[in-house]
Amino acid sequence: MSGFDVGARLKQLRMLRDLSQRELAKRAGVTNSTISLIEQNSVSPSVSSLKKILDAMPVSISEFFAGEENSPQEKFFYRAEELTEIGDGNLSWRLVAARHPSRDMSIIHEHYPSGADTGEDMLEHEGEEGGVIITGTIELTVNGETQCLHAGDAYYFDSRLPHRFRNTGDADCVIVSANTPPGFSEGGASTHHRR
């Protein structure tokens, strides 16, 4: 897995939009110090927090992690170390083909350690998502309905429905998921997003 400089990328995008840290924080509904600490790489934001900040610009998660590096040659195969980490340091979400210039979907290798949780704020964003549990168990809540899914089980739902993923088991859980659109949403700052 290659490291990604979240702080430098956030600062680059903020400066390109002529936004002060204070203005971006106000738009995103976070403190000024949150933006400053992320830009200094002093804290690793949760995916939900990062998405909230990016929505205030607006920039999609895919665009954020793709950076400005577009490969001139079309690529078909990706080694494990070439997947782009978009997780928050606890949850690991590794995006396939992050720099593909015309992606219409996101395919993500998700890793939830025991006790991992996408957060009490239910996630909602445009699009649809589905996935297959590869190992372990995940508790998935969608629109008030909760199920424990095990290896081989799957899910598919409209991402606008409130949802939450929690690993309530003792073992790590691995999921391979797909969602569309790949940017997850260009929506408003008040909506929390999973990716």
Side-chain angles (χ1 to χ4, degrees), residues 3 31 46 56-57 65 80 95 105 138 142 144 150 154-155 165 168 181:
T31 64
S46 69
M57 287 201 239
F65 284 103
L95 182 62
M105 68 176 166
I138 197 82
V142 180
H150 308 278
Y155 61 89
F165 291 77
T168 57

Side-chain angles (χ1 to χ4, degrees), residues 8-59:
R9 179 66 172 149
L10 182 61
K11 185 174 183 177
Q12 174 193 39
L13 291 169
R14 178 178 62 76
M15 306 280 284
L16 283 171
R17 286 157 178 77
D18 291 325
L19 291 172
S20 66
Q21 288 182 345
R22 181 179 302 276
E23 177 60 25
L24 179 56
K26 183 180 170 186
R27 288 185 186 186
V30 299
T31 64
N32 298 354
S33 62
T34 298
I35 302 293
S36 177
L37 290 169
I38 292 170
E39 287 186 357
Q40 295 168 33
N41 288 312
S42 298
V43 297
S44 181
S46 69
V47 176
S48 173
S49 296
L50 181 60
K51 188 68 181 94
K52 193 174 177 182
I53 293 164
L54 295 181
D55 279 348
M57 287 201 239
V59 172

